[in-house]
Amino acid sequence: MVRRVRPSGRCRRPRKVGAGRLRWGGEDGVSAETGPLRVWVDQDLCTGDGLCVQYAPEVFEFDVDGLAYVKADDGELRLDPGSRVDVPDHLRLDVVDAAKECPGDCIHVLRASDGVEVAGPDSGN
Ligand code: SF4
């Protein structure tokens, strides 16, 4: 059995989601009413563990430096610091879960309409 110890010390069991990926949560705190989302990664804090790539490989990918970057729907990594990309609707939960579980606290999910962080280290969740 795969177990993961969160920084808080709580142990949670993951559940399988599509394509064999694991999801640790289920609570997302971001409803459909939140509207379109955008996401960026702070590479200065990235540990390179790859959790985000496991959750949403369509949105997160490693570059040769071993750090995670976002990529847009053209499949190209956005390497400039602070680069933001749109979150596809069908990946909202995966991206939000990645932000909540990111060990580096470096995934920032923003409400596209006003830039308010709804998941990640500055969201207050
Ligand atoms: S989950 Fe966070 S720390 Fe881990 S690779 Fe992705 S961005 Fe980096």
Side-chain angles (χ1 to χ4, degrees), residues 30-125:
V30 180
S31 70
E33 290 75 38
T34 308
L37 302 176
R38 292 175 63 76
V39 62
W40 67 282
V41 172
D42 182 351
Q43 283 79 27
D44 286 344
L45 299 176
C46 178
T47 69
D49 66 284
L51 190 71
C52 58
V53 178
Q54 187 177 10
Y55 270 92
E58 300 91 338
V59 176
F60 304 104
E61 186 175 315
F62 287 127
D63 195 24
V64 292
D65 59 6
L67 303 176
Y69 291 81
V70 291
K71 58 182 175 180
D73 54 7
D74 62 4
E76 295 294 323
L77 296 188
R78 298 301 192 253
L79 300 176
D80 291 334
S83 293
R84 301 174 179 187
V85 299
D86 295 330
V87 177
D89 278 348
H90 69 286
L91 296 174
R92 290 167 63 94
L93 291 180
D94 294 312
V95 169
V96 167
D97 281 350
K100 291 187 172 186
E101 300 296 337
C102 169
D105 278 338
C106 54
I107 298 175
H108 301 261
V109 182
L110 315 173
R111 198 162 51 206
S113 61
D114 57 9
V116 170
E117 186 157 318
V118 295
D122 299 328
S123 69
N125 292 328

Side-chain angles (χ1 to χ4, degrees), residues 12-28:
R12 299 169 68 189
R13 292 181 184 168
R15 61 187 171 86
K16 288 257 185 185
V17 295
R21 288 172 291 156
L22 301 176
R23 175 169 289 163
W24 301 90
E27 76 285 8
D28 68 335

